[in-house]
Amino acid sequence: MRILMIAPEPFFEARGTPFSEYHRIRALADLGHTVDLVTYPFGRDVDLPGLRVHRSWRPPFVTRVRIGPSFAKVPLDLLLALKALHVGVKWKFDYVHSHEEGGAIGLVLARLLRVPHLYDMHSSLPEQLSNFKFSRSKLLVAAFRFLERLMVSRSASVIVICRHLEDLARAIAPSAHVVLIENAPGAGTNAAAPDRAALRAASGVPADAPVVLYTGTFEAYQGLDLLFAAMRTVLAERPAVRLVLAGGHPDQVERARRDAAAAGVAAATVFLGERPAEEIPAHLETADLLVSPRSRGKNTPLKIYQYLRSGRPIVATNLLTHTQVLDDTVAELTDPTPDAFGAGILRLLGDRERAERLGRAARTLADTKYTYEAYVNRTREALRPISGRPGQAEAL
């Protein structure tokens, strides 16, 4: 099939939803389909077989779009809709595949083109308003909730990325074709064995220092404030430990440096900044411990699947965002408080046998449940209501 995909994100950029879109396209290509991707005017080009990228026009004075809801997305999404319409009427497509709030554009466009629509649900739109502290307006929340119900109930198929969203989608539309495809594509993510000493030296970390590693974005919901506070507890007992963070835009890194200094852990903290996606597995392999201190939200962080695959011990907060995938057989789960999180880090640093046991169990889980074959099979299942009738209008 020829697919028109709408992605209201910078593509490609090393963060959650663009990663998910990248691997979704890769799986679709491996199933023999081609994708015309309509996306924002930001991001770097990638080489994927069967992919053609169409970038929307850039509004004046908008040079970057941050993660989550923002006022910049209003003109960006309007121009994205116009570009999608232009591409949609220029060529013939078998279905429209839309991500996030692009589902609103996709529903209308699919109806105009008389083809089915697939909604790729990476988060709950009304929940984003609170997770990012964007607005407390009851009217706006109600509008987003209505839009979400429309996108779920009127689509031929719905992809969700975690069990929380699966439950939400089924509650909205019990008869909808909902398929859970977790952000764990499982192929092409393993690193070659890195030179541990060289990589640590390049990061300014002593070769014999225990390394606690965080990877990912620096958004407020990720819980970096909790992590910095927890490191006070860790350093009081283990002063040789180093906290290494890979991620964050330059302005976010500077703000995090100030937060680390205010917490009294700056001297033991190393900021690598944003690293290429292909470099992250090597950093995971050289760490002693991986942490995910997320304090808000319900979606499973993409990094959790990378963490599992690395076989390194994990410390994470005992919240739904993690417990949809993790339990105490594969990770050290703690209350989302600095004291509890710091104690969890110290427990694994002090108990090598338990840390290695958790790491082995984590890798086994990744190798058995989160394989690329399973990912592709779930993608095929999501297309089942569509692939049997390409080019025909779905009953919406």
Side-chain angles (χ1 to χ4, degrees), residues 202-215:
S203 303
V205 176
D208 58 348
V211 168
V212 175
L213 177 67
Y214 168 87
T215 69

Side-chain angles (χ1 to χ4, degrees), residues 311-354:
R312 289 293 184 265
I314 301 166
V315 179
T317 49
N318 190 15
L319 299 174
L320 181 63
T321 182
H322 294 127
T323 58
Q324 295 174 103
V325 172
L326 304 178
D327 60 27
D328 58 11
T329 68
V330 296
E332 183 77 20
L333 298 172
T334 80
D335 290 340
T337 66
D339 287 346
F341 204 78
I345 292 173
L346 286 170
R347 275 195 296 274
L348 289 195
L349 289 177
D351 189 342
R352 182 181 295 272
E353 182 180 344
R354 172 169 165 75

Side-chain angles (χ1 to χ4, degrees), residues 49-193:
L51 170 65
R52 179 161 58 176
V53 176
H54 309 268
R55 297 195 181 276
S56 60
W57 301 277
R58 184 174 68 84
F61 312 114
V62 178
T63 58
R64 175 185 153 196
V65 57
R66 64 180 179 84
I67 297 173
S70 67
F71 290 111
K73 279 206 159 193
V74 176
L76 281 167
D77 284 349
L78 287 173
L79 292 173
L80 185 72
L82 291 175
K83 187 67 174 181
L85 177 61
H86 171 77
V87 173
V89 299
K90 189 173 183 180
W91 291 285
K92 181 176 176 60
F93 294 96
D94 294 293
Y95 83 91
V96 177
H97 186 141
S98 304
H99 299 266
E100 294 278 38
E101 77 272 13
I105 302 169
L107 270 181
V108 175
L109 188 55
R111 181 64 66 92
L112 289 173
L113 299 178
R114 299 184 61 78
V115 296
H117 178 254
L118 186 153
Y119 177 40
D120 215 319
M121 188 179 186
H122 301 266
S123 62
S124 168
L125 297 183
E127 285 179 5
Q128 277 201 34
L129 295 178
S130 60
N131 290 345
F132 288 90
K133 298 183 178 179
F134 180 73
S135 173
R136 294 182 180 179
S137 166
K138 292 183 179 179
L139 183 60
L140 188 60
V141 170
F144 271 50
R145 186 170 290 116
F146 172 78
L147 183 61
E148 182 171 85
R149 294 183 67 86
L150 199 65
M151 292 187 295
V152 170
S153 61
R154 299 294 182 90
S155 296
S157 185
V158 180
I159 293 175
V160 294
I161 64 161
C162 65
R163 290 204 308 268
H164 164 65
L165 292 177
E166 181 180 23
D167 292 343
L168 179 60
R170 294 191 187 283
I172 291 172
S175 62
H177 184 76
V178 179
V179 179
L180 171 62
I181 307 179
E182 290 160 303
N183 281 327
T189 55
N190 292 324

Side-chain angles (χ1 to χ4, degrees), residues 8 23 127 173 199 224 260 329 339 347 356 361-362 382 389:
H23 291 296
E127 285 179 5
L199 191 58
L224 294 187
T329 68
D339 287 346
R347 275 195 296 274
E356 290 179 351
R389 49 192 304 182

